[in-house]
Amino acid sequence: MAFSIPDGTTIHLGTTFGTSVAITGISNAATAVVTATAHGFLDGDIIVLKSGWQRINERVFRVAASASGTFQLEGLDTSDTSAFPVGTSSGSAMKVTAFTQISQIIGISTSGGEQQFATVSPLESDFEIQIPTMYSAQSISMEIGDDPSLLGYQAVKKAADARAIRPLLMQNKNGSKIYYYGYVSLNETPTKNKGQVDTVNSSFSLLSRPTRYAA
């Protein structure tokens, strides 16, 4: 059994982007194939996807098997037509051209993301049952060293001031990566505790599920 420890984890905020590219369709397949004329994406590019398929709307993916007019969304299985209805996948994709590391992160915590349930009591039954509905809103909170001169701090502040939606990359020491997408906020008032460094708090309110890659 392999355990993971957070030591060596780095966090990066998406800060620059390419031009939005129209998507005319995505296949229902074990590995989703996107049709997009003159997309210009290369294998390994990171893109933000917008799609009529809500399960992958506002999510970050990695490009694979790029060809003229098509590319794959690495690791994404869209073969279930009940989850991914045929003919409703069009949208757009935008390349993330640069990430800026947020340095001096002291700790990271998460909240939300739990499965929600509707409680139902059929007339003929003497007990209630719960039916899964949606997941609760999820956010990531980062405790950052209070140093406004750092590029990562400045990138977070700029995104927060603009109430911008940004991709976030969590890169683990073992090379695995997790991509998130959401609103950035920053509380610039530092927390002060005797004998400890001053910190500020940044939160990241997710719009969708994360996307994970082993390397």
Side-chain angles (χ1 to χ4, degrees), residues 60-167:
V60 180
F61 292 97
R62 191 160 62 190
V63 171
S66 178
S68 177
T70 65
F71 60 90
Q72 290 183 359
L73 298 173
E74 184 179 341
L76 178 64
D77 184 345
T78 55
S79 57
D80 183 354
T81 55
S82 63
F84 304 100
V86 176
T88 61
S89 60
S90 61
S92 64
M94 181 175 60
K95 180 180 175 179
V96 185
T97 56
F99 284 89
T100 300
Q101 183 178 349
I102 306 170
S103 54
Q104 295 190 175
I105 294 178
I106 308 301
I108 301 172
S109 61
T110 65
S111 63
E114 299 89 359
Q115 176 70 63
Q116 303 296 292
F117 296 88
T119 300
V120 180
S121 178
L123 291 176
E124 69 277 13
S125 177
D126 59 359
F127 62 92
E128 294 180 330
I129 60 174
Q130 288 189 315
I131 301 172
T133 55
M134 65 187 70
Y135 292 90
S136 64
Q138 185 175 13
S139 64
I140 299 171
S141 180
M142 296 181 290
E143 191 179 3
I144 305 170
D146 183 28
D147 186 350
S149 69
L150 296 174
L151 291 179
Y153 185 110
Q154 294 170 11
V156 169
K157 181 178 176 354
K158 182 177 180 180
D161 288 347
R163 298 185 176 180
I165 307 171
R166 292 286 183 266

Side-chain angles (χ1 to χ4, degrees), residues 25-93:
I26 304 175
S27 69
N28 292 98
T31 301
V33 177
V34 178
T35 301
T37 303
H39 56 77
F41 300 140
L42 302 175
D43 289 2
D45 283 350
I46 302 302
I47 60 170
V48 176
L49 183 70
K50 296 181 184 294
S51 170
W53 285 344
Q54 288 306 303
R55 290 198 178 191
I56 61 172
N57 186 44
E58 307 279 15
R59 285 182 66 184
V60 180
F61 292 97
R62 191 160 62 190
V63 171
S66 178
S68 177
T70 65
F71 60 90
Q72 290 183 359
L73 298 173
E74 184 179 341
L76 178 64
D77 184 345
T78 55
S79 57
D80 183 354
T81 55
S82 63
F84 304 100
V86 176
T88 61
S89 60
S90 61
S92 64

